[in-house]
Amino acid sequence: DLEKEAALIGVHVGELARKIMEAKRHPVQGYRAIMGIIKLARAWPRERVDAACARALAIGALSYRSVRSILEKGLEKGLDQVPLQREFPSSPIEHGNIRGADYYRGGGERC
């Protein structure tokens, strides 16, 4: 089973394989993508492939091309080696050019 083989590379690789299979109407459609990701582990260290799959999962990029691109981006470091930014600002951004919800309800100033 391809999902089990992917999970042997890393937890995130297995999770991405599972999500790819769930996203396809017919499982056969996901096989090529998963096989491609498994083959990436022959050219790249397993840890990097797993980290690239973690990033792909975080951004919702469920494809072989996305994982490959994450590994290739950057000169010395691929995106898989850049920490994921998991924290989001706790308060809205305040700026004069940003319109709030009131603007669209008719309560804001119009130009």
Side-chain angles (χ1 to χ4, degrees), residues 20-94:
I20 289 172
M21 294 300 281
E22 287 174 357
K24 302 296 181 185
R25 179 173 280 181
H26 302 288
V28 176
Q29 294 173 330
Y31 291 166
R32 288 183 74 189
I34 296 168
M35 289 188 323
I37 293 168
I38 290 169
K39 285 183 182 180
L40 288 173
R42 294 180 191 157
W44 300 87
R46 289 174 178 244
E47 299 80 25
R48 289 197 58 191
V49 174
D50 194 49
C53 288
R55 181 171 290 273
L57 286 164
I59 62 174
L62 308 179
S63 70
Y64 160 78
R65 292 179 78 185
S66 296
V67 175
R68 188 187 73 206
S69 177
I70 290 168
L71 286 165
E72 292 174 347
K73 292 293 178 200
L75 298 173
E76 284 129 31
K77 276 190 166 185
L79 281 175
D80 61 293
Q81 296 179 313
V82 177
L84 282 171
Q85 207 174 21
R86 295 191 184 246
E87 294 183 22
F88 298 98
S90 58
S91 60
I93 298 170
E94 297 292 331

